[in-house]
Amino acid sequence: MKDEFWKTLPSQTPVWVTAWIMSKADDIDLVTGELKDLSIERVSYARAQKMRAAVSHKFGRGFKIGAQMWCESQLLPGTFLGNPSLSVVVSEYMISLRRRKVRSGSEIVTSARAMDHLTMKELYEYNMNYPRTSESRPLKRKGDHATEWGGYKTRVMLSALYTTSMKCMLRFDEALRIQWADIEFIVINGHNCVRLKLPFRKTHQLGGALLQRCAPTPSVPTQ
């Protein structure tokens, strides 16, 4: 009987899902339509996403509806099929919720945490001063030592990858395509430089090359 009941969901089911998330995460009171008092706790947008995922999992796995989009049956008008959590109503509300949380300052979008040259310098100095212990075997991250995910060599290689991506404005998948044959060490006007040739098209029709002056000492990052 339970499976038969969930095959004929009411048309307002997505609205009920939205109302549940709104009551926990939104600044607007669901009953009065006014702003909630500051003493009332609101969950974060990440928590709201988990709430939606829980509903989607319950209908998809528990009631065996799957991941089908919520829509009205063309053969039986008035009958709705699919997962209500994947409806247009819920999707549009989640987009609106995220936009309003970012605007209010309670949430920070990922793009607002972009790396700048000062952060890159701190990262470089931290990795260069990391203990140069033996890395004969891979390190495993444990709960008690979550920061020990890699040794000196691993951190320096990642730092080089970060710097290359930032200098050349590359995505990580693009930076990982660079091979040793694309790097050339040259001397220009008495200064040691590194020439990096991009083996793929970026902002130029035939690719491009980056000249970078080498730092005189390991403790001074290249500017």
Side-chain angles (χ1 to χ4, degrees):
M1 293 298 295
K2 181 183 294 186
D3 292 341
E4 294 297 327
F5 171 76
W6 291 110
K7 289 181 180 179
T8 57
L9 291 172
S11 60
Q12 296 298 317
T13 305
V15 179
W16 298 343
V17 176
T18 303
W20 177 56
I21 299 176
M22 183 178 180
S23 65
K24 300 294 184 180
D26 211 304
D27 292 334
I28 301 176
D29 188 271
L30 185 62
V31 178
T32 63
E34 299 179 355
L35 291 176
K36 295 179 181 177
D37 189 83
L38 296 178
S39 60
I40 301 177
E41 183 180 1
R42 289 90 151 169
V43 300
S44 63
Y45 178 75
R47 181 68 177 180
Q49 285 182 307
K50 293 180 180 179
M51 294 170 64
R52 182 189 182 186
V55 175
S56 180
H57 181 271
K58 182 61 178 179
F59 280 97
R61 295 290 184 88
F63 301 131
K64 299 180 175 58
I65 294 179
Q68 180 183 353
M69 291 291 294
W70 176 264
C71 61
E72 186 175 3
S73 175
Q74 297 181 354
L75 300 178
L76 299 173
T79 302
F80 288 81
L81 306 174
N83 196 319
S85 180
L86 304 179
S87 64
V88 176
V89 174
V90 178
S91 299
E92 290 182 347
Y93 172 75
M94 294 300 294
I95 295 175
S96 174
L97 177 65
R98 181 176 185 271
R99 185 185 301 114
R100 285 183 283 109
K101 280 188 172 293
V102 171
R103 186 182 304 168
S104 64
S106 58
E107 300 278 346
I108 302 177
V109 295
T110 304
S111 59
R113 302 173 182 173
M115 301 281 283
D116 55 13
H117 68 284
L118 296 178
T119 306
M120 293 294 296
K121 181 179 179 181
E122 294 178 359
L123 180 63
Y124 173 88
E125 293 175 346
Y126 178 82
N127 289 331
M128 292 301 297
N129 295 324
Y130 196 81
R132 305 189 182 190
T133 55
S134 175
E135 295 187 50
S136 58
R137 58 181 181 179
L139 297 178
K140 296 182 179 180
R141 181 187 298 183
K142 298 181 180 179
D144 298 336
H145 305 283
T147 58
E148 298 180 1
W149 52 267
Y152 171 78
K153 294 181 181 179
T154 303
R155 293 172 183 269
V156 170
M157 286 190 293
L158 288 175
S159 182
L161 181 62
Y162 299 151
T163 304
T164 303
S165 300
M166 187 174 186
K167 294 288 290 185
C168 301
M169 294 184 292
L170 302 176
R171 301 191 305 269
F172 256 40
D173 60 326
E174 294 174 329
L176 290 172
R177 292 172 56 186
I178 298 175
Q179 301 180 3
W180 184 252
D182 304 320
I183 303 174
E184 181 183 1
F185 295 92
I186 59 177
V187 178
I188 299 179
N189 298 329
H191 299 291
N192 295 325
C193 299
V194 177
R195 184 197 301 271
L196 172 61
K197 297 181 179 179
L198 299 180
F200 46 87
R201 180 186 302 182
K202 185 60 181 174
T203 56
H204 191 276
Q205 183 179 3
L206 302 177
L210 172 69
L211 281 176
Q212 182 65 46
R213 180 178 173 181
C214 295
T217 59
S219 60
V220 180
T222 303
Q223 298 293 337

